[in-house]
Amino acid sequence: MRDKLIEKLIKGEEKRQAEGLELIPSENYVSEDVLKANGSVFTNKYSEGYPGRRYYGGQDFTDQVERLAIERVCKLFNCKFANVQPHSGAPANLAVYAALLTPGDTVLGMDLSHGGHLTHGHPMTLPAKIYKFVTYKMKNPDTGEIDYEDMRRVALETKPKLIIAGFSAYPRTLNYKKFVEIAREVGAITMADMAHIAGLIAAGALRNPFDDGFDIITSTTHKTLRGPRGGIILTRENEEIAKKIDKAIFPGIQGGPHMHTIAAKAVAFGEAMTPSFKKYAKQVLKNAKAMEEVFRKNKIRMIGGGTDNHLILADVFGSLGVTGKEAQTVLDEVGITLNMNAIAGDTRKPLDPSGIRFGTPAITTRGFREKECKYVAELMIKVLKNKDDKKLKEYIHKEIKKLAKKFPIPKKFV
Ligand code: DSN
């Protein structure tokens, strides 16, 4: 590279990723092929519009790429329509709201402090200034069960136009049938934001909301799906909804699609169809269970009581007296990256909450199995219990580096 400064920073990040363990549950590693497509000459091309209906010339290859991406993602998630142009999850969700709601309409989504996502109605977001968001919560944070009775009561009272099932920090399984039942009762459209678990659904390791009658799925493509950073919107069968969504993405909220990203999405969708991806997804779940076991043995409180998916939310302040921020910092020091996270009913501030959130998608891509995951969980707990012990932290950092070396980030998709 001519730009030595940026080259140095890329190399630094490469080294950081190679030598440390990534436990942020929304991160993963892409294959060399996804990276290649993402860094391809499609980045030079403008292609406003959709295949066969563009506003610029020279679309022979972009049309083929986008059609392939649509065809593959529809096959992967068993739906009729897909928009593969959203730049990421937030614009994907915004486009659904713009397509189907009128300003002032009500949307029912999961409370942020109970695991929901910012884009499902946090007061600081643009959608919250346009639409009225109401929330549902867990009945009991120690079991994670959603309070479906209360959710129905809120729905009957507020008559939402849209009901969202989805989360960024919820470790249990949602009962999609209940969502659909309640939505039908109040005449609402159903949308599942499956950003965190898309890869697990694609591989059949977790249930597909479409199989229970959901109308729309939104997702990012870079988490468990192992694609490039990006978004998708899928519509099960309603063409009218799909057309409105296309218009909401372009010209509604986006301009030219990022064709290099769409090419990379198409590659990732192809990879996700393989038997080895199915194995990967199952292993992600087994690995999370293995870490859960260690946390349980050590009597560390987990929100939801454990996990059914790829992530664990642990109340480290309540269990060990270590704040989320302290835990994040001290684990970073030994080469483990995860994030502090608020927990339901948190009395601490968002920038230093009571919990940590971690998961197994990235380490499973590296080839970790239950044995290594248990070992990492044990090391994590040791660090958290002895956060001021320099010698111990040095030793654990060495152990983490050894593990990272033994399980290098795979270049090729296997
Ligand atoms: N930022 C993502 C996460 O970490 O869950 C969600 O958008």
Side-chain angles (χ1 to χ4, degrees):
M1 257 177 112
R2 274 182 71 145
D3 191 329
K4 293 297 168 208
L5 206 52
I6 292 295
E7 186 178 42
K8 196 173 151 209
L9 297 176
I10 293 173
K11 288 234 155 33
E13 176 62 12
E14 266 172 14
K15 188 169 182 294
R16 187 195 70 80
Q17 291 189 12
E19 291 182 355
L21 294 187
E22 189 52 72
L23 293 190
I24 294 176
S26 47
E27 294 188 12
N28 217 324
Y29 308 111
V30 298
S31 70
E32 210 172 42
D33 289 353
V34 169
L35 209 53
K36 196 169 172 191
N38 209 36
S40 69
V41 291
F42 279 116
T43 196
N44 299 335
K45 189 72 198 110
Y46 253 127
S47 42
E48 268 108 326
Y50 290 99
R53 298 177 281 129
R54 309 272 193 196
Y55 292 84
Y56 291 77
Q59 307 292 345
D60 307 0
F61 300 103
T62 48
D63 275 6
Q64 292 182 59
V65 158
E66 189 164 348
R67 282 198 177 106
L68 255 178
I70 292 170
E71 192 187 305
R72 287 181 185 173
V73 80
C74 284
K75 200 166 160 199
L76 204 51
F77 291 99
N78 192 22
C79 62
K80 283 201 176 148
F81 306 100
N83 189 307
V84 295
Q85 294 191 3
H87 296 327
S88 201
N93 288 347
L94 179 60
V96 174
Y97 305 153
L100 306 174
L101 305 174
T102 314
D105 277 350
T106 299
V107 182
L108 176 57
M110 190 189 275
D111 191 281
L112 181 74
S113 69
H114 282 233
H117 190 250
L118 275 174
T119 57
H120 303 167
H122 189 277
M124 297 282 280
T125 61
L126 177 66
K129 298 186 198 321
I130 304 175
Y131 313 105
K132 186 168 176 269
F133 284 84
V134 290
T135 58
Y136 56 88
K137 292 183 175 172
M138 288 181 275
K139 203 177 199 168
N140 174 0
D142 285 312
T143 63
E145 194 202 344
I146 298 293
D147 192 343
Y148 291 103
E149 257 174 55
D150 192 59
M151 182 174 153
R152 178 169 177 268
R153 181 193 62 75
V154 175
L156 288 170
E157 228 173 77
T158 61
K159 296 275 182 293
K161 281 260 178 70
L162 184 73
I163 297 184
I164 305 172
F167 51 82
S168 62
Y170 180 73
R172 289 301 188 190
T173 308
L174 293 175
N175 185 340
Y176 298 128
K177 280 198 180 116
K178 282 255 200 262
F179 280 81
V180 171
E181 256 171 48
I182 294 170
R184 293 211 171 127
E185 209 179 339
V186 299
I189 294 169
T190 39
M191 170 185 129
D193 178 346
M194 62 172 188
H196 264 259
I197 52 174
L200 309 176
I201 291 172
L206 290 183
R207 200 166 168 77
N208 185 339
F210 282 151
D211 293 343
D212 289 322
F214 263 67
D215 301 303
I216 300 162
I217 287 178
T218 60
S219 183
T220 48
T221 46
H222 48 269
K223 298 186 174 95
T224 45
L225 200 47
R226 281 165 64 177
R229 305 199 80 78
I232 45 172
I233 307 172
L234 312 175
T235 307
R236 181 165 52 96
E237 59 177 16
N238 188 320
E239 190 168 8
E240 201 187 322
I241 290 182
K243 279 188 175 156
K244 284 184 182 168
I245 287 171
D246 281 353
K247 279 194 190 137
I249 282 287
F250 176 80
I253 62 166
Q254 289 190 179
H258 295 178
M259 290 311 305
H260 55 299
T261 313
I262 292 175
K265 286 176 189 175
V267 174
F269 301 151
E271 291 175 349
M273 285 173 187
T274 59
S276 67
F277 192 84
K278 284 195 168 57
K279 262 203 218 154
Y280 160 74
K282 278 194 190 134
Q283 193 62 47
V284 168
L285 298 184
K286 285 188 204 163
N287 285 350
K289 277 278 166 212
M291 296 186 90
E292 172 197 304
E293 204 183 303
V294 176
F295 271 67
R296 179 164 303 112
K297 260 195 201 145
N298 281 274
K299 300 194 176 9
I300 297 178
R301 177 175 178 243
M302 287 171 281
I303 303 305
T307 183
D308 296 325
N309 57 30
H310 62 301
L311 72 84
I312 290 171
L313 190 57
D315 177 4
V316 283
F317 187 68
S319 307
L320 302 169
V322 181
T323 72
K325 191 178 179 180
E326 283 170 344
Q328 178 183 300
T329 308
V330 78
L331 288 165
D332 224 358
E333 283 171 26
V334 301
I336 294 174
T337 318
L338 47 62
N339 65 278
M340 57 181 163
N341 215 100
I343 57 171
D346 213 328
T347 49
R348 300 187 59 81
K349 297 224 166 77
L351 276 175
D352 193 7
S354 298
I356 52 169
R357 186 189 68 153
F358 59 95
T360 52
I363 50 175
T364 308
T365 302
R366 281 181 105 131
F368 277 46
R369 298 177 78 90
E370 290 95 316
K371 186 175 145 220
E372 292 80 29
C373 289
K374 278 187 184 167
Y375 185 48
V376 171
E378 277 157 11
L379 293 181
M380 284 167 73
I381 293 167
K382 259 195 194 142
V383 173
L384 294 177
K385 285 185 174 168
N386 303 280
K387 65 182 173 52
D388 299 317
D389 187 335
K390 260 187 157 182
K391 272 225 160 97
L392 179 80
K393 284 193 290 185
E394 270 168 24
Y395 165 75
I396 290 178
H397 198 179
K398 273 192 198 140
E399 286 299 288
I400 296 296
K401 276 191 177 166
K402 260 198 243 165
L403 265 177
K405 202 167 176 192
K406 193 169 167 203
F407 293 87
I409 298 167
K411 282 206 171 7
K412 298 223 175 304
F413 176 82
V414 280

